[in-house]
Amino acid sequence: MPLSYPRIVHCGLVLLAVALAATLKPEVAVGAPGGAAALQQAGEDIRDRIQESQERLDEIRDEQARLQRERRDLASQVHTVTAEITNLEGQIGSSAAALAELDTQLLDYGFQVDETTREMLTTRDELALRRVELRQRLREIYKRGPLQTFKVLLQARSFGDLISRYKYLHLIAVYDRTLVDQVRQLEALLAEKRHQLATERTRMGGLRSEKAGEMDDLGRLERQRQQRLTRVQARESSSQQRISELQREESRLSGLIVDLERASREAERLAGIEPAAPELTTADLGRLDWPVEGRIAYRFQQTSPDLAVPRAGIGILAPRGTPVTAVKDGEVKFTGRRGSYGLAVLVNHGPGYWSVYLYLDELRVEIGNRVVAGQVLGTVGGDGEREQMEFQIYEPDSNGQPRQVDPERWLREQA
């Protein structure tokens, strides 16, 4: 049986309403549901990695600050170059770790920028489509005029047809409102993505600047470490050379005193003179005045801070030019330069007893002069590292030969 005209219109309107209802979306969705969920999860993973990397970077920054404070503390006190090099190596390690974290963040931010760019382009395309649809609907509404709704309703041929037309018009109105809302949502989403992209690009620019600064710091620390290592190597070479010189000079000085002692006794024997009683005796132990007042730089048989060789005397720190005096009466047997010891004065205090004054700046006595305790022999000079003089004492061994002893056992206690 053929369908009547109202029946045909009713069926057409129902089918059209179903089709329109199927096109309505409660909210804006970009891409397929499964793809959107995967993209969202990937974005969250990237943000988590960036957060973890930033936390590690903050810990590295704290370690760098601690090492810098430690280095400032080292600079304000006496320390070895080894400690400074160790500190520099720690800073280099921290700086390299910071660079690694910055690279990680730059890579993840790059992924995030790419993802945000894709989302923004997809949103922009979706917005363009919705705007086209909205313009078409506005054009149709404009062409049909403001009374189109009443015309559609008034053309109904039955009550059922009227109800169908009303539902049709209601769905059209809902669709138009939804389309407008979708355009607004897409515009807001597009603005949000643009802002997010600008923020991410700004952060990447900051990270690149931070990385450039970190690379400059790393290069500076590497240069400083190389300079310190070069200095240490040069110092080790110089110290080794100085040790060898001091050992040779010490041997020569001991040999000179033995030779002078032998020559003095031979001269007395040839002249038929009985050896004079020593002017320095055990009664003077712990009672002699110091040749110069000052702080001790190193002690007998002790290695000095900058030279790993046992010393034959004591180093006494004093300003250059300070007078150096004889500790006891005696006769000057030698004045002059003694290699790395600089200017020196050797005073004989009787058979086997000698006092030695090294690293002098100038001499005030000559060979053969008789001196008394407290008489100025010369002035303080230095050993190239600091202003000081070295004082030694020899006393006879069981065979009457001069031997080095600790000078402090002969000197009075300092106040």
Side-chain angles (χ1 to χ4, degrees):
M1 178 180 181
L3 295 174
S4 64
Y5 173 76
R7 184 67 175 169
I8 292 173
V9 171
H10 176 73
C11 292
L13 290 176
V14 170
L15 292 174
L16 179 60
V18 171
L20 287 172
T23 62
L24 296 178
K25 301 177 183 178
E27 59 182 7
V28 177
V30 180
L39 290 176
Q40 182 178 4
Q41 183 61 43
E44 291 177 357
D45 291 343
I46 291 174
R47 284 191 290 273
D48 290 342
R49 288 202 304 270
I50 291 174
Q51 180 63 31
E52 292 173 1
S53 178
Q54 186 60 47
E55 290 173 358
R56 291 194 298 270
L57 185 60
D58 291 340
E59 293 176 359
I60 292 169
R61 294 296 188 213
D62 292 340
E63 176 67 10
Q64 287 178 318
R66 184 190 68 77
L67 288 169
Q68 289 171 356
R69 289 194 301 271
E70 179 182 301
R71 187 178 177 191
R72 286 194 296 269
D73 292 341
L74 285 172
S76 65
Q77 55 185 279
V78 178
H79 64 279
T80 63
V81 179
T82 303
E84 189 174 1
I85 291 176
T86 301
N87 178 270
L88 283 172
E89 289 176 344
Q91 291 190 61
I92 289 171
S94 295
S95 187
L99 277 175
E101 293 301 333
L102 288 172
D103 285 336
T104 298
Q105 290 189 37
L106 279 170
L107 183 62
D108 286 338
Y109 267 111
F111 291 149
Q112 196 167 29
V113 165
D114 292 342
E115 182 59 35
T116 303
T117 302
R118 283 194 296 270
E119 291 177 358
M120 186 182 74
L121 293 176
T122 303
T123 303
R124 188 182 64 184
D125 293 342
E126 184 74 14
L127 177 61
L129 290 174
R130 295 302 180 191
R131 281 175 173 170
V132 169
E133 291 183 45
L134 183 60
R135 281 196 295 269
Q136 290 175 347
R137 288 292 304 135
L138 291 174
R139 191 180 298 111
E140 291 175 4
I141 293 172
Y142 176 76
K143 286 180 180 180
R144 293 175 181 176
L147 300 179
Q148 178 63 23
T149 301
F150 298 103
K151 290 180 181 179
V152 171
L153 293 174
L154 291 174
Q155 289 176 356
R157 298 183 181 184
S158 65
F159 182 75
D161 187 20
L162 178 65
I163 296 300
S164 298
R165 289 171 181 265
Y166 175 78
K167 290 181 179 179
Y168 164 75
L169 292 173
H170 173 70
L171 289 174
I172 290 294
V174 171
Y175 173 76
D176 289 341
R177 284 196 299 272
T178 302
L179 187 58
V180 171
D181 290 341
Q182 287 180 350
V183 170
R184 288 174 180 171
Q185 291 177 20
L186 286 168
E187 287 175 343
L189 181 60
L190 183 60
E192 178 185 347
K193 292 299 180 184
R194 283 174 176 164
H195 176 72
Q196 181 180 347
L197 184 61
T199 301
E200 290 167 354
R201 285 176 173 170
T202 300
R203 177 56 180 157
M204 285 188 71
L207 287 172
R208 289 192 181 101
S209 299
E210 191 174 353
K211 178 181 177 180
E214 198 66 50
M215 291 180 69
D216 290 341
D217 289 343
L218 182 59
R220 175 179 54 80
L221 291 169
E222 289 281 6
R223 289 192 297 273
Q224 288 182 355
R225 179 177 65 171
Q226 188 57 46
Q227 290 171 358
R228 299 300 187 278
L229 288 173
T230 301
R231 188 183 305 170
V232 167
Q233 291 169 354
R235 192 167 183 177
E236 285 179 351
S237 177
S238 176
S239 295
Q240 189 59 46
Q241 182 179 358
R242 193 165 163 222
I243 286 172
S244 299
E245 290 177 357
L246 277 176
Q247 289 173 336
R248 288 195 299 270
E249 200 56 47
E250 183 61 38
S251 178
R252 291 170 185 167
L253 182 60
S254 298
L256 174 61
I257 290 177
V258 170
D259 291 342
L260 290 173
E261 180 75 19
R262 185 183 300 112
S264 178
R265 293 185 181 183
E266 182 64 19
E268 291 175 346
R269 186 186 67 80
L270 292 176
I273 302 174
E274 290 292 328
E279 295 174 279
L280 187 63
T281 66
T282 55
D284 295 311
L285 286 170
R287 301 178 62 183
L288 299 181
D289 288 332
W290 286 64
V292 65
E293 294 294 334
R295 187 165 52 86
I296 294 178
Y298 51 84
R299 288 185 157 84
F300 179 69
Q301 293 298 315
Q302 181 185 29
T303 57
S304 59
D306 63 321
L307 202 58
V309 57
R311 309 310 291 260
I314 58 173
I316 306 174
L317 300 172
R320 184 179 297 275
T322 302
V324 175
T325 58
V327 296
K328 189 68 175 179
D329 301 351
E331 181 180 353
V332 177
K333 291 292 186 178
F334 176 86
T335 62
R337 187 167 297 278
R338 293 299 307 176
S340 58
Y341 280 131
L343 294 178
V345 174
L346 277 61
V347 179
N348 179 235
H349 303 286
Y353 290 96
W354 295 78
S355 60
V356 179
Y357 311 81
L358 305 171
Y359 298 122
L360 302 182
D361 186 50
E362 61 175 294
L363 304 176
R364 301 285 179 84
V365 292
E366 297 177 352
I367 296 176
N369 288 164
R370 290 288 304 176
V371 295
V372 296
Q375 182 175 337
V376 176
L377 305 176
T379 59
V380 172
D383 62 355
E385 295 289 334
R386 52 189 171 268
E387 296 179 346
Q388 66 157 36
M389 61 87 58
E390 183 172 320
F391 177 62
Q392 300 179 4
I393 280 190
Y394 288 71
E395 61 183 49
D397 60 14
S398 58
N399 297 320
Q401 295 298 316
R403 63 182 178 91
Q404 295 170 343
V405 295
D406 185 359
E408 286 190 79
R409 64 193 291 265
W410 289 89
L411 301 173
R412 60 174 174 77
E413 290 187 6
Q414 289 184 313

